[in-house]
Amino acid sequence: MTAMPNRFADKMIGALLTLVILCSISPSQQESDYLIHVQSDLVLVNVTVRDKNGNFVQGLKPENFTILEDNKPQKVVSFDVENVDAVAPPDVTQVKPLPAAPSAPTPPVSPAQSTVAQFKDRRLIVLFFDLSAMEPDEIEHAVTSAERYVDAQMAPADLVSIVSLGSSLQVNQDFTTGRALLKKQLDQFSSGSGQGFEEGTTGTTEGTPDTAQPFTADDTEYNIFNTDRRLEALRSVAEKLSYVQQKKSLIYFSSGMDRTGIENESELRAAVNAAVRSNLAIYTMDMRGLQALVAGGEAQNASLRGATAYTGQATLNALNSNFTTQETLVTLASDTGGRAFLDSNDFSKIFKGVQQDTSTYYLLGYHSTNPARDGHYRRIVVKSTLPGVKIDYRRGYYAPADYRHSTKNDKERQLEEELASELPATDLPLYLGIAYFRLEGNKFFIPVSLVVPGSQIPFVRSSDRDKATLDVIGMVLDSGQHPLNRIRDTVTLAVNTSAEVQKKNVQYETGMSLLSGKYHLKFVVRENQTGRMGSFEPILMCPI
């Protein structure tokens, strides 16, 4: 991973690994006679049962359903009926499940207990405006369609929230039934909101074969970052709604989302998994509408080269490019139980679809009989004892993955998330020491030493040596919280016997140059056998 630009510092000095004998440590550890680990994941499945006339079948009980996961029967442990059209709920000025939910993976119980009654027989809808990639006219169409829904289609049972992604992810309006509050927030979206993050294009260079595309700069790396950023925003919303058991619907307004190879697969899978675990269905809307692709290219693009404008290859490439940007929208919708609305100028269809899908449904929950945390896809089949009925439900989900079964991209994402987290990681003991030495004027050399107790590092035997690896990631922020320096390294330990290391400490050393000022440092270390992490955050003052 390349270092981030440093405006105030010299080039980062290379990292060293030194295995040193700092001190003998023999902590006395008392193990209890009994150790019980309890981990239970409730799988929720929304089931809609309709007769041959398309009417919802009322009055079903848990014994009327059979759930199979990978062809193995599962026991229904929770059962509920959600009927948002049964009663006319009172108006709710505002409830706050989005801000109340913490960023930690395991949410507290108290917010769910305090708001569970407010969500019963409610249709929970999140309007997500991706302002970072839409053109001004597309933003206007998205806002206009939402305003028409609020004015004419919004039902008494609808609790609606507004979320937007521009330069940052914002909760513009938490869940409410107040039309005035929603309209007020929608009116604040200007046609220029959040611009500057739209997709670039992957271009060609001089001397390359004719590709039926105008020459543009290669923005591949930028697009990878941009797509990850948008998927991470969707995942964040899903995680903050995870403690609300009722079905939630997120309407995602965008102008497509382009993936570059497999680089975005990890974040896409994380977003889908978070939505599935949170019982959140994503409905995607392509605000470009029905497009007319001009054979010779649009006016805002450079002229085509070669004869492709006359052979049809240019039009074919434009169609393929448009399909690629819609593929991710389809994946997000289909894998989370939602629907994708593409190639249509009737933007009201998506609101009708959400209301139809969430009017009345059965909410079934079960604990999987498969305890493996391997991250594999598990197929769900729901059957009913009633003959001749049509059953709609989510067809599967990805099982949780422990560290051993995580992919390389997932492991890298875990490090990045821990580096950005406001909460410290304490599973792996970590000690950090820093100092400063004046080089010249107001320039200082900063040595950094990270120490991990050898007793906390699990080794595995390979050939005739004991081996272990440690991942190190760190960042230096100035007083304005702007990133200056970045460190990313993987340390490999290979010793004849790990018994000696277990009694000592392992020290990792690096250094950097900084100017006078106040700095915030954060370092994260992970051992790669079990995935335990530890972090350390000191404040450094370099004198004037």
Side-chain angles (χ1 to χ4, degrees):
M1 184 175 296
T2 58
M4 298 185 66
N6 185 352
R7 298 174 297 169
F8 304 96
D10 293 338
K11 183 178 180 181
M12 184 180 298
I13 299 177
L16 301 174
L17 171 68
T18 308
L19 184 63
V20 297
I21 302 176
L22 294 176
C23 60
S24 297
I25 53 174
S26 57
S28 58
Q29 299 177 348
Q30 296 181 352
E31 297 183 358
S32 60
D33 294 336
Y34 303 98
L35 183 62
I36 300 176
H37 293 283
V38 178
Q39 186 166 9
S40 178
D41 295 317
L42 182 66
V43 181
L44 297 175
V45 185
N46 305 305
V47 181
T48 303
V49 184
R50 302 186 184 278
D51 59 23
K52 60 182 180 180
N53 296 322
N55 299 318
F56 184 81
V57 179
Q58 302 277 359
L60 298 184
K61 304 297 182 182
E63 52 269 21
N64 296 124
F65 295 96
T66 300
I67 298 182
L68 302 177
E69 181 181 288
D70 291 338
N71 296 324
K72 295 182 179 179
Q74 309 294 318
K75 181 181 179 181
V76 178
V77 297
S78 67
F79 182 84
D80 196 8
V81 182
E82 296 290 332
N83 187 358
V84 301
D85 297 327
V87 295
D91 289 341
V92 176
T93 303
Q94 183 170 247
V95 290
K96 298 184 177 182
L98 282 170
S103 57
T106 305
V109 181
S110 55
Q113 291 176 340
S114 62
T115 58
V116 64
Q118 294 175 300
F119 299 137
K120 175 66 177 174
D121 293 328
R122 290 286 192 177
R123 183 184 290 115
L124 304 176
I125 301 176
V126 180
L127 304 182
F128 191 116
F129 293 88
D130 190 351
L131 306 176
S132 66
M134 287 192 288
E135 298 292 340
D137 60 325
E138 295 163 355
I139 296 177
E140 183 179 353
H141 292 159
V143 172
T144 300
S145 63
E147 289 177 337
R148 290 175 179 172
Y149 157 72
V150 173
D151 289 335
Q153 295 179 252
M154 186 174 172
D158 292 358
L159 273 174
V160 183
S161 173
I162 299 176
V163 176
S164 64
L165 176 65
S167 57
S168 62
L169 178 63
Q170 294 185 358
V171 179
N172 303 93
Q173 174 60 56
D174 225 314
F175 287 96
T176 181
T177 58
R179 287 180 168 84
L181 290 175
L182 297 171
K183 290 289 292 293
K184 179 181 179 181
Q185 292 300 325
L186 291 172
D187 290 341
Q188 294 180 3
F189 290 141
S190 65
S191 60
S193 299
Q195 294 301 298
F197 292 94
E198 55 270 5
E199 295 287 345
T201 55
T202 301
T204 59
T205 58
E206 294 295 338
T208 56
D210 184 2
T211 58
Q213 297 289 347
F215 171 77
T216 52
D218 191 346
D219 292 328
T220 303
E221 294 296 330
Y222 176 78
N223 288 341
I224 294 172
F225 162 78
N226 191 25
T227 301
D228 275 352
R229 178 175 174 272
R230 297 159 71 186
L231 292 171
E232 185 177 355
L234 289 171
R235 177 167 61 92
S236 177
V237 174
E239 289 174 347
K240 291 183 183 301
L241 291 172
S242 59
Y243 66 90
V244 180
Q245 287 195 352
Q246 283 82 1
K247 181 178 180 179
K248 286 83 63 180
S249 302
L250 184 146
I251 301 178
Y252 180 60
F253 299 97
S254 75
S255 58
M257 186 184 298
D258 197 7
R259 278 183 288 161
T260 305
I262 63 173
E263 285 83 358
N264 304 120
E265 291 295 332
S266 175
E267 197 61 54
L268 175 62
R269 179 170 174 174
V272 170
N273 287 351
V276 170
R277 287 193 296 267
S278 301
N279 199 16
L280 174 71
I282 299 177
Y283 293 77
T284 55
M285 185 73 200
D286 188 351
M287 298 311 300
R288 294 172 296 183
L290 184 60
Q291 302 180 74
L293 301 178
V294 183
E298 299 183 10
Q300 65 264 31
N301 293 334
S303 300
L304 297 175
R305 297 177 294 142
T308 52
Y310 310 101
T311 62
Q313 185 63 42
T315 302
L316 178 61
N317 288 350
L319 290 171
N320 289 337
S321 177
N322 183 66
F323 171 78
T324 301
T325 61
Q326 292 180 340
E327 183 183 11
T328 307
L329 300 183
V330 174
T331 301
L332 284 170
S334 61
D335 288 357
T336 60
R339 285 191 278 172
F341 293 81
L342 314 172
D343 302 325
S344 174
N345 292 330
D346 184 1
F347 302 127
S348 64
K349 289 183 178 179
I350 193 168
F351 300 102
K352 297 176 183 177
V354 170
Q355 289 178 324
Q356 291 173 358
D357 293 347
T358 56
S359 292
T360 309
Y361 60 93
Y362 295 99
L363 183 61
L364 282 65
Y366 70 92
H367 297 295
S368 175
T369 57
N370 185 357
R373 306 181 69 83
D374 51 15
H376 291 172
Y377 187 78
R378 299 178 181 178
R379 300 188 180 278
I380 296 175
V381 175
V382 179
K383 299 180 180 180
S384 174
T385 57
L386 276 68
V389 297
K390 180 182 178 182
I391 305 178
D392 293 323
Y393 56 92
R394 175 164 47 88
R395 302 292 173 172
Y397 70 101
Y398 284 98
D402 56 21
Y403 182 77
R404 185 168 61 90
H405 292 95
S406 298
T407 65
K408 181 180 178 180
N409 289 336
D410 289 334
K411 293 178 181 179
E412 195 66 29
R413 178 172 51 81
Q414 292 169 6
L415 280 176
E416 295 287 348
E417 290 177 351
E418 186 56 47
L419 186 64
S421 174
E422 297 180 356
L423 300 176
T426 58
D427 291 338
L428 181 67
L430 176 64
Y431 310 97
L432 185 145
I434 54 175
Y436 58 84
F437 299 93
R438 190 183 298 272
L439 297 177
E440 55 178 339
N442 63 341
K443 184 182 295 185
F444 295 84
F445 172 69
I446 313 298
V448 179
S449 178
L450 298 170
V451 177
V452 177
S455 59
Q456 300 296 318
I457 302 176
F459 283 79
V460 293
R461 193 70 179 177
S462 177
S463 300
D464 59 342
R465 299 174 71 83
D466 293 331
K467 297 183 178 180
T469 59
L470 299 175
D471 276 325
V472 180
I473 189 170
M475 181 175 291
V476 180
L477 305 175
D478 63 15
S479 57
Q481 297 299 304
H482 302 119
L484 298 180
N485 272 333
R486 187 180 179 87
I487 295 173
R488 176 67 179 91
D489 201 1
T490 298
V491 177
T492 301
L493 302 175
V495 294
N496 293 328
T497 172
S498 62
E500 291 298 321
V501 181
Q502 298 291 323
K503 302 176 183 179
K504 314 298 180 182
N505 287 345
V506 172
Q507 179 172 314
Y508 173 88
E509 295 180 344
T510 186
M512 65 199 73
S513 295
L514 296 174
L515 299 176
S516 298
K518 181 179 180 181
Y519 301 96
H520 176 204
L521 286 72
K522 181 171 184 178
F523 285 84
V524 178
V525 177
R526 179 182 65 195
E527 56 88 3
N528 286 323
Q529 187 64 24
T530 64
R532 292 182 303 152
M533 289 188 286
S535 64
F536 207 102
E537 298 185 59
I539 298 296
L540 173 66
M541 293 291 298
C542 293
I544 299 177

